[in-house]
Structures are given as structure tokens and as C-alpha cells.
Amino acid sequence: MVALSVGVPLLVLAPVLAFSIYIGLYSPDIKVLEWDKVVATGRSQVLEIVQPHEGETFKYFYSIGLLSFKEDGNLITDKRIVSYWEVDGELYLNESAYPDIVGYTVTPAKTWIDDTVVVVNHADADYDFELYLSAEDGMDKVAISYIKSQIQ
């Protein structure tokens, strides 16, 4: 009887613990991260979608994806801004090099669960797109400040 009372909670907790470990090691973070702080599995998934240009340095990354970095990504580099997302297995990707960006507007997160939205205005007005940034720890402001420094 003692073994059963100890064994049952372990049987219930083992899958929860395994899922928690998976989330911690392989799923996107809930905030904007400096690129070198993104887990290695995440960096490799992003690099399958966004190939760096020659001499380009990835700076900041944020994903709305729950289980995979391939579901969604918002990337800021020293040369461009990239946003990608997947719908029904199809990948969509928008990007603008800094010289092609004519402006941007920021809609700050209103609650802890909202993301800050940056509308990137491309020289081709038909190519404007949204970049999502978590407001957690104020990293949205850090990333936006970096974008501002690259556009000026």
C-alpha cells in the first residue's frame, strides 16, 4: 500500500516533469532575448529559416511559438528586421534591410500578456509588416532602441 501511494504520484509527475524539461530546453522563451541567449536548438531552427547575410550579426530574437521556433519568429539583426510565421505548414517571411525602412510605429503592450507591435514601414508601401516583441523585462524597449539606432 505504501509503494502504491508513493508510485502513483510519481507516475503522474513523471510526464509533467518530462514536459517541463522539454519546454525549458527546446521551446521559445516568453521574452525577447539577445541572440546568444537563445537556446542552441532554437538558434539552429531559426537558421534553417533565416540564413544570415555575409557579415551579418543576429542581435535580438522573440517567438510567439509555443513548442517550436519554426512556428513564429521576430529577428533583429545589424542589417535587417525579419518576421516569419507558419500557417498550416506553409512558411511566410517578411524582411526589410535598414536602408529600405522609411519609418515604424510602435503600439506598446497594454497588459502583461500582450506583445508590443512594431509596424515596419518599407520603402515599398505595399510591403509594410508587423514585428512582435514581448514587453517582459523591458526588452521590447531595448530592441526598439536598437532598431532606432540602425535607421537614423
Side-chain angles (χ1 to χ4, degrees):
M1 186 75 153
V2 172
L4 179 61
S5 64
V6 171
V8 171
L10 289 177
L11 286 175
V12 172
L13 290 177
V16 172
L17 181 59
F19 183 71
S20 298
I21 291 170
Y22 173 84
I23 293 295
L25 294 176
Y26 300 107
S27 67
D29 205 296
I30 60 170
K31 61 185 173 183
V32 176
L33 292 176
E34 292 175 353
W35 178 250
D36 63 346
K37 292 191 169 71
V38 175
V39 297
T41 54
R43 288 192 309 265
S44 65
Q45 287 180 26
V46 173
L47 288 169
E48 289 177 27
I49 297 168
V50 182
Q51 289 76 38
H53 292 174
E54 187 174 330
E56 182 175 37
T57 302
F58 288 11
K59 298 300 237 176
Y60 300 99
F61 181 80
Y62 173 63
S63 177
I64 301 170
L66 296 175
L67 298 176
S68 169
F69 289 81
K70 291 182 177 183
E71 295 172 303
D72 176 88
N74 299 274
L75 177 66
I76 299 166
T77 81
D78 64 337
K79 296 185 185 279
R80 62 187 164 145
I81 297 172
V82 181
S83 179
Y84 67 84
W85 64 100
E86 187 178 88
V87 177
D88 297 328
E90 188 168 346
L91 180 68
Y92 298 88
L93 185 140
N94 287 321
E95 64 179 307
S96 282
Y98 292 115
D100 296 330
I101 298 173
V102 295
Y104 61 93
T105 55
V106 177
T107 303
K110 290 183 175 42
T111 67
W112 67 272
I113 200 164
D114 294 331
D115 288 323
T116 295
V117 180
V118 179
V119 176
V120 178
N121 305 121
H122 192 272
D124 175 356
D126 293 332
Y127 194 68
D128 294 351
F129 65 92
E130 294 177 342
L131 180 76
Y132 292 86
L133 301 169
S134 167
E136 180 106 4
D137 292 342
M139 286 301 292
D140 57 338
K141 292 174 180 62
V142 172
I144 292 166
S145 177
Y146 183 80
I147 292 169
K148 182 178 180 181
S149 74
Q150 295 302 107
I151 292 174
Q152 291 181 355

